[in-house]
Amino acid sequence: MLFQIPKGLYDILPYEVDQEWKLSHYWQYLETVIRKTALDFGFKEIRTPTFERTEVFNRGLGEATDIVSKEMYTFLDKAKRSMTLRPEGTAPVMRSFIENRLYNARKINKFFYIASMFRYERPQSGRYRQHHQFGVEAIGNPSFEQDAEVIDLLYELYSRLNISNLTVNLNCIGNITTREVYKKDLTKYLEKYLKEMSEESKIRLAKNPLRILDSKEEEDQEIIKSAPSILDYLNDDEKNHFNNLCDLLKSINIPFIINDKLVRGIDYYTKTVFEITSSDLGSQNALGGGGRYDHLLSQLKGPDLPGMGFGTGLERILQTMIKQDIVIPDNSKPFVYFVPLTSHAKKIAFNLITQLRRKEIPCDIDLNAKKINQSIKNANLLQASHILIIGEDELQTKQAQLKNMISREQTTIEFDKIITYITNLWRDYEKV
Ligand code: HAM
């Protein structure tokens, strides 16, 4: 084969896929539910370019993070400026928010996006080098209620998709000063176990000790278990924020667990962090996650405004839905598949199908129809609900044959009654 897709990437196709989640109508359905949910919560769509100046991510995410230090697709453009394919959505949204001065007209700005992200990671199940995220960013409100709204939105999305068996992990990682004190104590504690630690954690100890708490390596588990808890280091404001958030989530019936080992992999977070995991995913079990970032905008030389958001992977959502046998509707099936068997029949069929399409009834036509059996095969492949046959006999009698592909029932309809007949059938079908 001359060309092959790069490692860690995949195609989304209408059929013939090796894994069900790559079916394009699943993506269409998911994106429709996402848009509706985001709009229902008052979030407005924002679209930023696929790549940005590299600085946006270096400054935004933190140089020591895995994303910045190892995973970015960075290249020089023809004028030798460093550009990076976006590895995540928050930093670009902040860049756009600052550049377009979106803070001028409104005190609170709530954005959402559905976009592809690029990370040079080791490909494995649930981890790709291009993945798709639905993300939200709520800017301007420092309160715990804002955190609850964002968490509730993600939880509501999963509920609308009928996903179950989820765990909401919640933690508070404080502000930069709180974290610095904690980091010192944590490092002191971890240094005692340097010999027993995994190789990866040894490297992290100097660069980013908090990330060790996230380690999945077996030899680290016992060490992590008894590590000091960030929750013991919070100041009064952080404690109140966290307790109030927990109370509010309880009162709106969002089940959660407090997980003081949850730190997340990006440096911009302050106070609240959360992750929703699914037991139906493998080792990459995070369906979505996010948190508060109260200093990111000022760090990027924007206004001093707080933010809160999340990102959730579309691949992982679909994989979970399939694992849970959730039925995903297909809106791409034709309601009527026209089979005109002569060129005169084609002319009539073309006229009829145009009228039905103007009424927004999904229809298709076999423009190569020669033998009825082949056309029936095509209709079955498309999962058409009905086929409408016009051949020599039908042209003589000016009546077409409408066949219901499920009940196998066949009806004869006069040409000039076809539009009304099919329109009524469609109305009844839509009501069900
Ligand atoms: P993140 O946790 O890096 O957060 O990514 C969010 C979600 O994207 C993950 O929970 C996962 O579902 C999905 N994901 C990440 N990497 C991959 C991958 N390589 N393959 C497949 N899916 C993946 C962020 O990106 C933050 N920007 C979220 C945020 C928004 N925080 C505040 N606002």
Side-chain angles (χ1 to χ4, degrees):
M1 207 184 302
L2 186 57
F3 296 119
Q4 269 187 322
I5 194 164
K7 219 171 143 186
L9 273 57
Y10 61 87
D11 295 313
I12 297 170
L13 302 171
Y15 33 70
E16 306 295 343
V17 288
D18 57 343
Q19 288 166 305
E20 216 182 328
W21 60 269
K22 296 175 186 168
L23 280 171
S24 51
H25 75 264
Y26 285 16
W27 287 76
Q28 287 157 10
Y29 167 74
L30 175 57
E31 286 164 14
T32 306
V33 178
I34 286 175
R35 280 176 206 286
K36 172 86 171 75
T37 312
L39 294 170
D40 285 352
F41 275 67
F43 285 71
K44 310 273 182 211
E45 186 171 9
I46 184 165
R47 297 189 193 197
T48 61
T50 305
F51 63 90
E52 297 274 347
R53 287 174 193 274
T54 303
E55 250 332 89
V56 171
F57 303 109
N58 284 353
R59 262 176 185 266
L61 313 190
E63 306 263 0
T65 57
D66 281 355
I67 296 181
V68 171
S69 64
K70 296 193 266 193
E71 297 169 359
M72 296 206 302
Y73 279 91
T74 297
F75 59 96
L76 291 181
D77 71 5
K78 293 209 190 294
K80 305 256 180 303
R81 283 175 294 235
S82 182
M83 301 289 164
T84 295
L85 297 185
R86 96 187 126 207
E88 64 96 56
T90 311
V93 169
M94 296 308 123
R95 193 269 311 140
S96 172
F97 177 76
I98 297 166
E99 192 170 350
N100 295 298
R101 298 178 197 278
L102 299 178
Y103 45 87
N104 273 346
R106 293 171 177 79
K107 277 217 150 56
I108 305 292
N109 288 270
K110 301 200 291 186
F111 304 115
F112 82 89
Y113 48 88
I114 302 175
S116 36
M117 308 292 164
F118 306 84
R119 296 182 190 180
Y120 193 83
E121 292 189 273
R122 198 155 39 83
Q124 60 184 83
S125 163
R127 201 202 258 164
Y128 306 93
R129 289 188 171 164
Q130 174 177 350
H131 74 276
H132 297 77
Q133 261 187 42
F134 160 49
V136 311
E137 313 296 345
I139 305 171
N141 189 336
S143 75
F144 65 90
E145 287 101 341
Q146 183 61 81
D147 299 4
E149 184 189 45
V150 165
I151 296 170
D152 184 39
L153 165 49
L154 187 56
Y155 199 77
E156 172 65 16
L157 170 70
Y158 298 149
S159 304
R160 289 188 190 189
L161 295 168
N162 292 319
I163 299 176
S164 51
N165 294 336
L166 296 176
T167 308
V168 181
N169 291 268
L170 192 65
N171 194 16
C172 180
I173 58 169
N175 272 306
I176 294 158
T177 19
T178 304
R179 225 157 39 232
E180 279 310 311
V181 179
Y182 173 66
K183 224 191 245 179
K184 263 192 203 142
D185 283 6
L186 180 68
T187 310
K188 231 187 264 165
Y189 166 83
L190 291 170
E191 275 168 352
K192 289 192 283 188
Y193 302 96
L194 195 62
K195 276 202 195 119
E196 292 104 277
M197 234 179 244
S198 69
E199 286 310 308
E200 199 169 337
S201 293
K202 276 179 193 154
I203 301 168
R204 281 189 166 147
L205 188 59
K207 276 190 12 193
N208 204 350
L210 258 71
R211 288 291 288 164
I212 296 176
L213 299 176
D214 236 11
S215 164
K216 303 262 186 322
E217 303 296 325
E218 198 157 338
E219 56 263 59
D220 295 333
Q221 297 314 308
E222 275 305 308
I223 307 171
I224 295 169
K225 238 187 228 167
S226 317
S229 168
I230 182 91
L231 295 175
D232 296 330
Y233 290 75
L234 303 181
N235 64 31
D236 286 346
D237 166 55
E238 293 159 352
K239 254 187 230 157
N240 286 336
H241 187 98
F242 191 53
N243 290 338
N244 285 330
L245 172 62
C246 291
D247 288 345
L248 184 54
L249 288 177
K250 270 182 214 150
S251 79
I252 57 169
N253 294 323
I254 306 271
F256 63 90
I257 58 164
I258 294 173
N259 176 356
D260 64 356
K261 305 292 184 295
L262 177 69
V263 286
R264 311 259 314 131
I266 308 174
D267 282 358
Y268 49 59
Y269 293 111
T270 50
K271 288 188 177 167
T272 309
V273 287
F274 78 104
E275 220 160 71
I276 304 189
T277 53
S278 160
S279 48
D280 290 308
L281 287 169
S283 61
Q284 300 303 313
N285 66 352
L287 208 49
R292 178 161 278 288
Y293 45 88
D294 286 347
H295 308 301
L296 177 58
L297 272 164
S298 55
Q299 221 170 291
L300 294 173
K301 307 237 174 299
D304 187 10
L305 290 171
M308 167 75 191
F310 67 69
T312 176
L314 271 58
E315 291 78 5
R316 293 188 192 176
I317 294 181
L318 287 173
Q319 287 165 358
T320 308
M321 291 175 73
I322 288 160
K323 204 74 190 280
Q324 297 188 358
D325 292 325
I326 294 167
V327 178
I328 302 173
D330 183 359
N331 293 325
S332 67
K333 297 177 195 167
F335 187 60
V336 182
Y337 187 65
F338 281 75
V339 182
L341 293 163
T342 73
S343 56
H344 184 201
K346 239 180 245 175
K347 213 171 177 181
I348 293 171
F350 219 94
N351 184 285
L352 292 169
I353 199 172
T354 309
Q355 292 184 57
L356 292 174
R357 283 172 169 166
R358 301 277 186 273
K359 289 170 178 277
E360 298 185 24
I361 299 172
C363 292
D364 204 349
I365 181 165
D366 189 350
L367 290 173
N368 287 326
K370 284 186 187 77
K371 294 211 170 83
I372 187 75
N373 282 353
Q374 182 57 47
S375 293
I376 290 177
K377 260 190 210 159
N378 295 345
N380 280 330
L381 273 176
L382 293 168
Q383 296 180 295
S385 309
H386 303 84
I387 56 170
L388 189 106
I389 304 158
I390 310 178
E392 286 291 358
D393 292 352
E394 286 77 14
L395 286 172
Q396 294 285 324
T397 56
K398 293 196 168 31
Q399 290 174 328
Q401 301 296 326
L402 184 75
K403 187 171 174 160
N404 184 317
M405 297 297 278
I406 298 148
S407 69
R408 306 264 143 204
E409 222 174 285
Q410 197 153 315
T411 321
T412 307
I413 316 164
E414 285 168 35
F415 283 173
D416 55 6
K417 304 231 165 76
I418 288 175
I419 300 298
T420 320
Y421 192 90
I422 293 177
T423 309
N424 288 338
L425 264 189
W426 172 249
R427 280 207 194 112
D428 293 344
Y429 175 84
E430 273 205 310
K431 270 186 219 146
V432 182

